[in-house]
């Protein structure tokens, strides 16, 4: 029963990883930019929410929509003001600039909030759980996060598949120059993609802030989890990313169950490396070439 | 006033000069053909009109308005639409989605998906197929349809017949009159001289970045055109 419990917790954790990862995958898909600041951009919304909660004294759940709007704007401006200049100039330029952004965010947060761990207090819901039997219980909060990840991925699929903007995203992803020749302003599309990426990350970042504590230096670890979820799932597939997140989450919780909690992250990485060796394209990769 | 005027434009790729003082005028409602060998500068000229390249010297006027520093997407808004070399359809999008992308700027006019399916009936049964799986001829029809969806005043066609079977080339050239009737002006680049000269109102022959011959196709003998084409 402990094993089943660990697996269930791992699946729920996977939803959270997917929330971090789909934004990374969206940005890479539309502009081939490897965003090394993505991990820190999962931490930033938690601090934005913290400031809102401190200023307005409301439940952190209410801060989520406001923080989403703020982070969308941050993403849009970051892309138009800075990152648009590195798109299409090779991988190295993007890596260096986003690494720089990562440093700026980390150190900015350290200056503003110190290295102490912070938390967002949502009240009773944090401790409520559904008891299935004596030894298996599912926390409401992890369950809500998991369900949110499904809602977000479904919404993203509908947005990409059914709307004019989503169609433009996919066209730009296929062929930038041809997209411009069809009247698409790629600079605007990239900025919206970055905005949407951060909007999604906000949901994961703030929910994680409610579920556990956070500090300014957690970003790099989350970046790696996000990368692993995307790669295990396969590029270009949002449901694949959810699957990747779940595989990673389950590997971590089962690893902890088997060898003790110190092994959790290492086992997750090992499973990732094994999958990378035998199925480097991921499980649900969707790639089309002309 | 001509629809498109290129005034002594010089265009470079970094240090390499691809066009030398090109001047030409395209009148509203005509088919203007640019012919010439590989590397003569025809495609460079089209890319400059579309906004992919910017002339280092000279001007481009569209409907009397200078456009040489306008981004590509704004030129589409003005009514300049492209059928790029190599077709460049969006491989992961369906045929229908490719057409809808063509209408991204929402210009008003006679063209919509129904009109395109009527012009190229071969696309109708393929509407839900991914463009990646289409044959070369189907992709070319799609690329033209997609450009028409922008309801262009000027449509730029780059090497439309390259690599296509003669029957497909005929079908594409057969669509030209309908396009003209619906208010398009066609600026077409071709290596295949025979087809395009049969329909063009004006022709310009490019040779090593310069125009070696320009006028009405009927005014020249085959020998004159061959000489201008190969520079002999």
């Amino acid at each position: 029963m402990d094993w089943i419990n660990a697996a269930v917790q791992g699946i729920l954790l996977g939803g959270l990883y997917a929330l971090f990862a789909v934004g990374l995958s969206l940005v890479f898909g539309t502009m081939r930019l490897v965003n090394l600041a993505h991990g820190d951009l999962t931490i930033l919304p938690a601090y934005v929410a913290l400031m809102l909660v401190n200023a307005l004294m409301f439940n952190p759940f209410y801060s989520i929509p406001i923080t989403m709007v703020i982070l969308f704007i941050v993403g849009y401006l970051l892309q138009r003001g800075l990152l648009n200049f590195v798109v299409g100039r090779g991988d190295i330029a993007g890596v260096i600039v986003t690494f720089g952004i990562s440093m700026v965010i980390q150190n900015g947060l350290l200056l503003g909030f110190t290295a102490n761990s912070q938390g967002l207090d949502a009240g009773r819901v944090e401790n409520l759980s559904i008891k299935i039997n004596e030894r298996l219980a599912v926390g409401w909060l992890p369950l809500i996060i998991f369900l949110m990840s499904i809602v977000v991925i479904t919404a993203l699929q509908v947005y990409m598949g059914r709307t004019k903007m989503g169609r433009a995203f996919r066209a730009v992803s296929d062929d930038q120059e041809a997209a411009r020749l069809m009247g698409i302003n790629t600079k605007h599309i990239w900025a919206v993609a970055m905005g949407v990426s951060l909007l999604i990350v906000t949901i994961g970042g703030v929910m994680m802030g409610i579920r556990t504590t956070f500090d300014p230096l957690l970003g790099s670890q989350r970046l790696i989890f996000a990368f692993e979820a995307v790669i295990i799932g396969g590029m270009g597939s949002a449901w694949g990313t959810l699957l990747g997140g779940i595989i990673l989450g389950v590997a971590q919780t089962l690893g902890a169950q088997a060898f003790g909690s110190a092994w959790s992250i290492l086992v997750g990485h090992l499973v990732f490396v094994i999958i990378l060796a035998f199925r480097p394209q991921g499980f649900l990769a969707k790639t089309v070439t002309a | 006033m001509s629809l498109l005027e290129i005034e002594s434009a010089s265009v470079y790729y970094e240090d390499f000069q691809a066009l030398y003082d090109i001047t030409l005028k395209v009148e509203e409602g005509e088919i203007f053909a640019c012919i010439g060998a590989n590397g003569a500068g025809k495609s460079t000229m089209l890319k400059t009109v579309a906004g992919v390249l910017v002339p280092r010297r000279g001007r481009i006027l569209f409907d009397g308005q200078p456009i040489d520093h306008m981004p590509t997407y704004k030129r589409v808004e003005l009514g300049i639409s492209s059928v790029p070399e190599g077709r460049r359809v969006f491989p992961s999008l369906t045929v229908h989605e490719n057409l809808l992308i063509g209408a991204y700027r929402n210009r008003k006019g006679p063209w919509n998906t129904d009109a395109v399916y009527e012009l190229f009936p071969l696309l109708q049964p393929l509407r839900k197929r991914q463009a990646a799986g289409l044959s070369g001829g189907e992709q070319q029809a799609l690329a033209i349809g997609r450009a028409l969806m922008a309801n262009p005043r000027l449509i730029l066609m780059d090497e439309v017949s390259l690599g296509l079977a003669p029957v497909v080339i005929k079908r594409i050239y057969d669509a030209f009159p309908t396009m003209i009737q619906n208010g398009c002006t066609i600026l077409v680049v071709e290596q295949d001289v025979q087809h395009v000269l049969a329909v063009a109102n004006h022709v310009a022959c490019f040779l090593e970045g310069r125009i070696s011959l320009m006028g009405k196709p009927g005014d020249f003998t085959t020998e004159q055109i061959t000489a201008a084409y190969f520079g002999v």
Side-chain angles (χ1 to χ4, degrees):
Chain A
M1 196 49 81
D2 289 341
W3 289 90
I4 294 174
N5 186 46
V8 170
Q9 305 308 331
I11 291 169
L12 297 182
L13 188 60
L16 186 69
Y17 292 160
L19 278 177
F20 293 150
V22 284
L24 187 73
S25 161
L26 177 69
V27 164
F28 183 79
T30 39
M31 60 191 109
R32 300 288 176 272
L33 176 73
V34 177
N35 183 7
L36 291 186
H38 191 78
D40 304 284
L41 289 164
T42 70
I43 309 285
L44 185 65
Y47 279 98
V48 173
L50 184 70
M51 283 194 288
L52 285 169
V53 169
N54 286 343
L56 302 169
M57 294 307 210
F58 56 16
N59 190 297
F61 285 115
Y62 299 130
S63 74
I64 292 178
I66 309 172
T67 313
M68 284 167 77
V69 174
I70 294 173
L71 265 286
F72 177 87
I73 296 167
V74 168
Y76 190 94
L77 295 178
L78 185 68
Q79 186 69 38
R80 285 220 88 145
L82 185 63
L83 292 172
N84 271 346
F85 297 98
V86 299
V87 174
R89 302 215 172 157
D91 296 335
I92 295 297
V95 166
I96 292 172
V97 171
T98 56
F99 184 70
I101 295 170
S102 160
M103 289 294 116
V104 169
I105 295 173
Q106 267 183 33
N107 288 290
L109 290 176
L110 279 171
L111 269 178
F113 299 92
T114 75
N116 294 339
S117 288
Q118 307 270 3
L120 291 163
D121 184 9
R124 263 161 42 80
V125 69
E126 290 189 36
N127 301 316
L128 290 180
S129 59
I130 310 165
K131 212 164 188 180
I132 292 164
N133 62 34
E134 277 308 302
R135 309 188 57 186
L136 181 60
V138 177
W140 268 109
L141 197 57
L143 186 64
I144 291 170
I145 297 175
F146 185 79
L147 293 176
M148 272 179 161
S149 72
I150 290 177
V151 170
V152 164
I153 289 171
T154 308
L156 185 66
Q157 295 288 80
V158 171
Y159 181 68
M160 295 295 277
R162 304 278 170 80
T163 68
K164 182 177 176 181
M165 202 65 182
R167 211 156 45 224
F169 274 43
R170 288 182 286 134
V172 170
S173 171
D174 274 3
D175 188 335
Q176 289 173 24
E177 190 180 300
R180 278 193 283 270
L181 288 171
M182 296 308 124
I184 295 174
N185 180 359
T186 47
K187 288 180 177 160
H188 173 68
I189 294 290
W190 291 330
V192 173
M194 184 58 86
V196 170
S197 164
L198 295 198
L199 179 148
I200 294 171
V201 131
T202 298
I203 303 172
V206 177
M207 292 307 284
M208 188 68 173
I210 294 170
R211 188 173 158 178
T212 67
T213 58
F214 51 93
D215 66 65
L217 301 176
L218 271 179
S220 47
Q221 194 186 53
R222 291 207 189 151
L223 176 70
I224 293 187
F225 293 164
F227 269 124
E228 290 178 343
V230 172
I231 292 167
I232 294 171
M235 287 305 306
S237 161
W239 292 114
T241 301
L242 180 63
L243 178 69
I246 289 173
I247 289 173
L248 185 65
V250 171
Q252 289 178 355
T253 52
L254 290 185
Q257 179 70 25
F259 310 112
S261 58
W263 287 80
S264 149
I265 288 169
L266 181 60
V267 171
H269 291 328
L270 286 174
V271 167
F272 165 71
V273 170
I274 292 166
I275 291 170
L276 194 60
F278 291 100
R279 202 174 161 83
Q281 75 276 33
F283 287 107
L284 300 173
K286 221 171 24 184
T287 41
V288 178
T289 45
Chain B
M1 183 175 53
S2 309
L3 184 64
L4 177 74
E5 291 175 57
I6 303 178
E7 290 179 355
S8 54
S10 292
V11 182
Y12 293 73
Y13 293 98
E14 314 261 309
D15 288 336
F16 170 74
Q17 187 166 5
L19 290 179
Y20 296 84
D21 286 324
I22 295 293
T23 297
L24 62 81
K25 285 181 180 180
V26 178
E27 304 301 330
E28 183 124 42
E30 74 165 335
I31 300 176
F32 192 107
C34 295
I35 57 172
N38 240 340
K42 317 173 295 294
S43 296
T44 304
M45 189 273 299
L46 275 199
K47 282 182 181 164
T48 311
V49 177
V52 177
L53 297 168
V54 177
R56 200 171 288 182
R57 290 185 298 278
R59 291 203 306 170
I60 301 170
L61 302 171
F62 183 72
D63 211 10
Q65 184 189 353
I67 58 163
D68 29 59
H69 288 285
M70 193 178 268
T72 304
Y73 74 94
K74 284 206 173 140
R75 299 188 196 200
V76 178
E77 221 159 50
L78 286 183
I80 301 178
S81 184
S82 296
V83 181
E85 185 177 357
R87 310 182 272 270
R88 308 279 284 268
V89 293
F90 300 109
S92 76
L93 273 61
T94 64
V95 166
H96 198 71
E97 287 177 328
N98 265 281
L99 292 180
L100 294 177
I101 288 285
Y104 187 79
R105 283 282 143 199
N106 289 326
R107 263 179 67 86
K108 297 279 171 289
W111 292 102
N112 52 36
T113 51
D114 289 340
V116 170
Y117 291 133
E118 198 179 312
L119 181 67
F120 295 117
L122 79 164
L123 293 178
Q124 175 78 45
L126 302 171
R127 45 184 295 159
K128 291 198 169 140
R129 283 258 299 275
Q130 271 192 334
L134 267 50
S135 72
E138 289 160 351
Q139 286 192 2
Q140 190 62 273
L142 177 57
I144 295 171
R146 184 181 61 173
L148 289 171
M149 288 293 289
N151 282 302
R153 295 180 66 189
L154 175 67
I155 186 164
L156 310 170
M157 296 198 192
D158 204 348
E159 307 277 12
V160 273
S161 67
L162 195 69
L164 299 183
V167 56
V168 181
I169 298 175
K170 183 179 179 305
R171 194 177 284 172
I172 282 166
Y173 275 98
D174 284 349
F176 279 23
T178 319
M179 290 157 62
I180 298 287
Q181 277 160 30
N182 281 290
C184 278
T185 301
I186 300 176
L187 177 54
V188 56
V189 156
E190 273 286 14
Q191 290 193 45
D192 174 3
V193 177
Q194 191 194 345
H195 275 98
V196 76
L197 289 192
V199 296
N201 304 92
H202 285 96
V203 58
C205 187
F206 282 67
L207 180 70
E208 292 170 353
R210 293 180 173 87
I211 291 176
S212 54
L213 168 149
M214 187 153 58
K216 291 190 165 66
D219 295 348
F220 304 110
T221 63
T222 315
E223 289 72 27
Q224 281 173 308
I225 290 172
T226 310
Y229 194 103
F230 294 106
V232 288

